[in-house]
Amino acid sequence: MIHAIVGGSLIGLAVTMMLLFNGKVTGISGILGGILNVGVHDKKWRIIFIAGLLFGGIILRIFNPEVFRNSSAALSADYLIAGFLVGIGTLLGSGCTSGHGVCGISRLSTRSIIATITFILSGAIGVIIFRMIRGEL
């Protein structure tokens, strides 16, 4: 439980610092989209941010590989389908859970609150449908 509290606090601190010092919402899909968008000119901080996420994961894998152990019964195809559906949801919802769920809700954005509720319900319904298809329910 302490890991969740520390992790959540660090995420909140990082989001607050990004908004205060950069004037930007820390939505990962928006940051990555800005790297891929030819018309966006402030790519340097975006690249550094995404690189930090990747290198943070690599460092965690080196020092605590158990965190990455897959104990679920999910197949690789399940992850591909889930990632594709998350990508579609991100496009339809004009942002991802980090942007809406962490940044938007903390700013009391009605749009973000509705988007986050929609993300959670869609995920739950998706799990139920997948389990029904696989005969697990």
Side-chain angles (χ1 to χ4, degrees), residues 5-59:
I5 293 170
V6 172
S9 298
L10 288 172
I11 289 170
L13 179 63
V15 164
T16 302
M17 289 174 53
M18 178 70 90
L19 190 58
L20 288 175
F21 297 123
N22 204 5
K24 305 283 184 187
V25 172
T26 313
I28 306 305
S29 62
I31 293 170
L32 183 60
I35 293 171
L36 302 174
N37 187 339
V38 181
V40 174
H41 300 291
D42 61 344
K43 294 185 187 296
K44 183 178 179 181
W45 73 267
R46 295 170 187 272
I47 292 169
I48 292 169
F49 187 93
I50 296 295
L53 291 177
L54 294 172
F55 285 123
I58 291 168
I59 290 168

Side-chain angles (χ1 to χ4, degrees), residues 11 15 24-31 86-120:
I11 289 170
V15 164
K24 305 283 184 187
V25 172
T26 313
I28 306 305
S29 62
I31 293 170
V86 167
I88 290 172
T90 297
L91 290 173
L92 292 174
S94 299
C96 58
T97 52
S98 60
H100 285 299
V102 177
C103 303
I105 289 177
S106 65
R107 293 181 296 126
L108 301 177
S109 165
T110 303
R111 180 178 142 210
S112 291
I113 293 168
I114 292 169
T116 304
I117 290 169
T118 303
F119 293 154
I120 292 169

